[in-house]
Amino acid sequence: MADLDDLRDGCNFGLDQAVANQTFHVKGAGNLPWGMKDRLSRIFNPATGRTVMLACDHGFIMGPTSGLERIDLNIVPLIEYADCLMCTRGILQSVIPPTTNKSICLRSDAGTSILTELNDNVLIDIEDAVRMNVSAMAVMLAIGDKAHEAKTVANLYKAVDKGTRYGIPVMGVTAVGKEMARDARYFGLASRIAAENGANIVKTYYCDGFEKVAAACPVPVVIAGGKKLPERDALELCYMAINDGASGVDMGRNVFQSEAPAAMIQAVYAVVHQNYSVDQAFELFNELKAK
């Protein structure tokens, strides 16, 4: 076992060097089987290697929060502008049209309203993910939380075991532990633990020093949108994350709580896939909003 008394912070992240031996457009996926690559290619655009994910899974712990009162009215019209939809199996089966033909990242662990984001080691049946033809399964990882870290690491590990058996990638979603700060050291630790335990994608938050978080993670890092921001600020968040090495964004409230959700997600798409600047994207947002 590593000697924890002599750990030193990483300092050589090779930020000026491209990923070595990259043979596939999704980071770290070059040696995966065909089925895994096929599913990852549905999520990450082969032309850019990036993704715009639309998160609407908040209801599984928060109920009908603002913007998600009616998924059929507020979310379904936005799906065409995203690469991937992140949702629960209940919403997928009851609301999302099967003709949507978009990749699905399925929330695959269970939560409670009392523990907010932190889950208690319960996974959906892998056969449900297979039956629903999802492209990935999302599982929360609570590094730094004494009560839940071990359970959520085990949760992720089990999901990876099951996903590997059926060719379904797993996205490790990093929660913020109560005893950890929202900084590059924490997010770098959580992201690396997720990847080391087999996650094919990591979802985490943007922070100062994020370029080190992305560089040290051997699989794609997708940023969470987090709390609702003014539209220009949210586009700036997207721009900085992509510029610092993120492979995409998974936004929820910053899209569906926007004053013009369809315009917002198209502006986010322009930043992620078309390399728009913040000013260009905000101008696009205002133009689309005015139509």
Side-chain angles (χ1 to χ4, degrees):
M1 180 176 178
D3 185 352
L4 298 180
D5 294 330
D6 191 36
L7 290 182
R8 304 175 185 180
D9 287 342
C11 59
N12 184 16
F13 292 92
L15 299 179
D16 60 341
Q17 300 175 54
V19 177
N21 303 314
Q22 181 78 357
T23 60
F24 190 64
H25 68 278
V26 179
K27 186 179 180 182
N31 296 327
L32 295 179
W34 190 94
M36 283 276 202
K37 288 181 177 178
D38 175 65
R39 287 185 168 91
L40 287 168
S41 292
R42 299 180 206 171
I43 298 172
F44 294 92
N45 188 321
T48 64
R50 299 173 183 169
T51 185
V52 173
M53 303 177 74
L54 175 59
C56 65
D57 59 323
H58 307 62
F60 91 116
I61 53 174
M62 299 178 183
T65 187
S66 176
L68 295 180
E69 299 92 344
R70 288 282 302 274
I71 300 292
D72 58 327
L73 300 180
N74 301 333
I75 297 299
V76 171
L78 304 178
I79 298 176
E80 65 176 293
Y81 305 113
D83 297 301
C84 181
L85 179 68
M86 182 169 173
C87 64
T88 62
R89 63 180 175 180
I91 290 299
L92 183 61
Q93 294 177 128
S94 62
V95 183
I96 307 303
T99 54
T100 297
N101 201 29
K102 291 282 185 172
S103 63
I104 300 296
C105 183
L106 185 69
R107 168 63 72 172
S108 298
D109 50 5
T112 71
S113 61
I114 297 174
L115 296 175
T116 61
E117 290 185 312
L118 304 182
N119 304 309
D120 198 21
N121 205 28
V122 179
L123 287 172
I124 70 165
D125 190 326
I126 185 65
E127 291 187 1
D128 252 11
V130 174
R131 279 190 291 266
M132 290 184 282
N133 196 33
V134 304
S135 296
M137 300 183 296
V139 177
M140 188 69 71
L141 192 66
I143 301 301
D145 186 283
K146 291 181 179 179
H148 301 96
E149 178 174 323
K151 289 184 177 181
T152 59
V153 170
N155 217 19
L156 175 68
Y157 204 92
K158 292 176 182 177
V160 170
D161 282 348
K162 294 178 179 181
T164 300
R165 186 179 307 160
Y166 292 96
I168 302 177
V170 172
M171 181 165 76
V173 182
T174 66
V176 181
K178 296 178 181 178
E179 299 177 11
M180 303 295 282
R182 285 176 174 259
D183 58 21
R185 184 170 184 175
Y186 168 72
F187 291 129
L189 171 67
S191 298
R192 186 60 175 264
I193 288 175
E196 296 262 359
N197 279 281
N200 307 103
I201 312 166
V202 171
K203 176 180 173 180
T204 193
Y205 292 90
Y206 183 79
C207 61
D208 290 338
F210 180 81
E211 67 277 7
K212 297 178 182 178
V213 176
C217 187
V219 299
V221 177
V222 173
I223 68 151
K227 66 180 181 180
K228 176 67 175 72
L229 300 170
E231 279 74 8
R232 194 182 192 285
D233 291 349
L235 292 170
E236 185 174 13
L237 172 66
C238 292
Y239 177 84
M240 292 189 300
I242 296 297
N243 192 58
D244 285 348
S247 296
V249 301
D250 186 16
M251 287 200 155
R253 285 169 287 186
N254 278 299
V255 170
F256 60 72
Q257 289 182 356
S258 169
E259 57 184 294
M264 186 60 184
I265 194 170
Q266 290 177 80
V268 170
Y269 190 96
V271 171
V272 172
H273 289 302
Q274 299 171 313
N275 297 317
Y276 271 39
S277 69
V278 178
D279 288 340
Q280 289 173 319
F282 191 54
E283 181 179 354
L284 175 63
F285 167 76
N286 285 320
E287 288 175 357
L288 294 171
K289 181 180 70 170
K291 290 183 178 180

